[in-house]
Amino acid sequence: MKRLMLTVLPLVLLAGILPIFAQQTKTPFPVTLEKQLAARATNYTEVSLDKNMLAFAGRFMNGKDADEAQAKKLIQNLTGIWVRTYEFDKSNQYTHDDLESIRKQFDGTEWSALVRERSKNGGDDTDVYMKTVNGEIQGMFVLDAEEKELSLVYIDGPIRPEELS
């Protein structure tokens, strides 16, 4: 009985704690749309790194390696990084309205479109948005829509151009 309690108790505690972490990892993309795109995709990748996960990843970066030290410095102040890539086996698996529902989230006084590339056939569109607060870059969003692939990248937190070089 004691052995059973020692085995079950940590599982019960873990089950109670996991929903708290799940609530903290909120995606910046419409959840319903994410599910729809994932259902249509032949392959999809979802990466969600909140502040805690970025700090954890930073522990594995070698501070002696110049590139890794630079990356570690860059991510230490970020709130999160979210990446979504959906690959489709045929065209027209996402619509113009799907893209507009994503773009709409980045309309506002803090967000500025740096790049808006549109193709006549709608198969190759690219958007890059920058979030600026009090003259400081506080986020970036990239949407890359190709005929059979859709990629979304959202970086939340301070980004200093000099650190990107």
Side-chain angles (χ1 to χ4, degrees):
M1 181 70 163
K2 185 176 181 181
R3 180 176 283 164
L4 179 64
M5 288 301 288
L6 289 174
T7 305
V8 173
L9 185 60
L11 292 175
V12 170
L13 290 173
L14 185 60
I17 292 172
L18 282 178
I20 295 169
F21 289 113
Q23 291 169 0
Q24 292 173 349
T25 310
K26 184 178 183 239
T27 177
F29 311 119
V31 175
T32 304
L33 179 60
E34 280 189 293
K35 290 178 183 178
Q36 291 171 353
L37 290 170
R40 293 181 224 152
T42 53
N43 187 37
Y44 67 93
T45 304
E46 296 181 352
V47 178
S48 297
L49 300 170
D50 64 7
K51 190 163 187 69
N52 294 330
M53 290 303 294
L54 287 170
F56 179 71
R59 292 184 195 147
F60 293 97
M61 294 180 181
N62 182 352
K64 295 178 183 174
D65 178 76
D67 289 337
E68 288 188 25
Q70 184 87 10
K72 187 174 184 174
K73 184 178 180 182
L74 179 67
I75 68 169
Q76 73 184 2
N77 293 322
L78 294 178
T79 305
I81 300 174
W82 292 266
V83 179
R84 303 292 188 260
T85 302
Y86 304 94
E87 297 173 15
F88 308 100
D89 59 353
K90 53 188 173 182
S91 302
N92 301 318
Q93 294 300 298
Y94 61 87
T95 67
H96 174 75
D97 289 340
D98 292 337
L99 299 181
E100 287 305 311
S101 72
I102 296 168
R103 288 179 179 125
K104 190 181 349 175
Q105 293 185 110
F106 300 95
D107 285 341
T109 57
E110 294 179 334
W111 288 96
S112 301
L114 298 177
V115 176
R116 282 191 182 146
E117 176 187 17
R118 302 290 182 268
S119 61
K120 281 190 174 186
N121 64 3
D124 292 315
D125 290 358
T126 302
D127 293 272
V128 178
Y129 294 88
M130 194 74 66
K131 180 180 180 181
T132 308
V133 178
N134 297 325
E136 298 284 326
I137 300 170
Q138 294 295 318
M140 180 185 291
F141 172 68
V142 178
L143 179 150
D144 184 50
E146 299 177 15
E147 187 176 337
K148 294 184 179 181
E149 185 174 319
L150 178 62
S151 299
L152 311 169
V153 178
Y154 177 66
I155 302 170
D156 188 24
I159 301 169
R160 293 182 178 61
E162 63 272 12
E163 292 176 353
L164 295 175
S165 63

